Amino acid sequence: MRIHAVVAAASLVGLLALSACASGPGAAPPTSGSTSEPALATAVPAPPAGEVRGTGTVMDVAGTVELCLGAVAESYPPQCSGAPIVGWSWDGVHGSESSGDVRWGAYAVTGTYDGRTFTMTQPPLLLALYDPIASDDPVGGEPGAIPESELIAIQDGLPTVLGDDGSQYLGSFPENGRLWVDVVWDDGTLQSAAAEDYGADVVVFRSALHEISG
């Protein structure tokens, strides 16, 4: 009987150890020293097939034009980084400001996106005059259950995984038990990878560019 008790106790300890090592909702992804790489580190969304629309700041520095979909530094002139724009022209475009060789303005833009470069297909619309269609709530208003400390730990690693040069990762914030992450474009690839790394609906990706249906 004592032998059986010892074996049972040892088995229980082993099960508890395995449970502690298993990933669950809110678990951090494998570290750089781990044998497995985070799914997000290799996830690359396919470029949209058709036209997309986005809203942001168009920044023209001495003829080099970029579409900044994320944060803009509150300097004068402002500073930001984003996707290079092909086919941009200021002819007939109102609402811009300029300082030295820098010209900028906030617009809704329509075009194609190949994963790095945005190509204009329609004239821009001054953002102040643009009436966007409200996006669907991907979680249906349901709160999450992950402590904010765990979400912040995940958030701290995202710039390393996704890159913080403005080409994809735009920003993130914890709210209602989930980490909300804004990126330039996602077709669902990043969302699926995040579910694999952290658990379902722990990290929610939002795409700044939206496909235009029809």
Side-chain angles (χ1 to χ4, degrees), residues 53 130-136 210:
R53 180 170 294 137
Y130 178 62
D131 186 16
I133 298 175
S135 301
D136 294 333
H210 302 277

Side-chain angles (χ1 to χ4, degrees), residues 2-145:
R2 290 182 178 178
I3 293 176
H4 290 166
V6 170
V7 172
S11 299
L12 179 59
V13 170
L15 288 172
L16 290 174
L18 288 174
S19 297
C21 293
S23 295
T31 62
S32 58
S34 172
T35 56
S36 59
E37 189 173 23
L40 272 176
T42 55
V44 180
E51 286 184 316
V52 291
R53 180 170 294 137
T55 59
T57 298
V58 174
M59 184 68 62
D60 181 346
V61 180
T64 299
V65 188
E66 293 181 318
L67 173 60
C68 302
L69 296 166
V72 178
E74 295 182 356
S75 55
Y76 195 86
Q79 300 177 59
C80 66
S81 61
I85 301 180
V86 174
W88 178 267
S89 173
W90 290 105
D91 292 342
V93 176
H94 303 287
S96 67
E97 297 183 61
S98 61
S99 176
D101 61 355
V102 181
R103 187 174 181 179
W104 69 95
Y107 303 95
V109 295
T110 303
T112 59
Y113 181 67
D114 65 4
R116 296 293 299 184
T117 301
F118 189 92
T119 301
M120 300 290 297
T121 58
Q122 299 183 32
L125 180 64
L126 189 64
L127 191 56
L129 303 178
Y130 178 62
D131 186 16
I133 298 175
S135 301
D136 294 333
D137 184 347
V139 298
E142 294 294 326

Side-chain angles (χ1 to χ4, degrees), residues 193-211:
E196 183 178 339
D197 285 340
Y198 310 111
D201 293 331
V202 173
V203 176
V204 181
F205 279 87
R206 304 188 303 183
S207 179
L209 295 178
H210 302 277
E211 288 184 294

Side-chain angles (χ1 to χ4, degrees), residues 24-28 143-154 174-179 198-203:
I146 308 303
E148 185 168 307
S149 59
E150 293 186 29
L151 297 175
I152 291 175
I154 296 173
E175 184 177 81
N176 290 335
R178 291 186 172 89
L179 183 65
Y198 310 111
D201 293 331
V202 173
V203 176

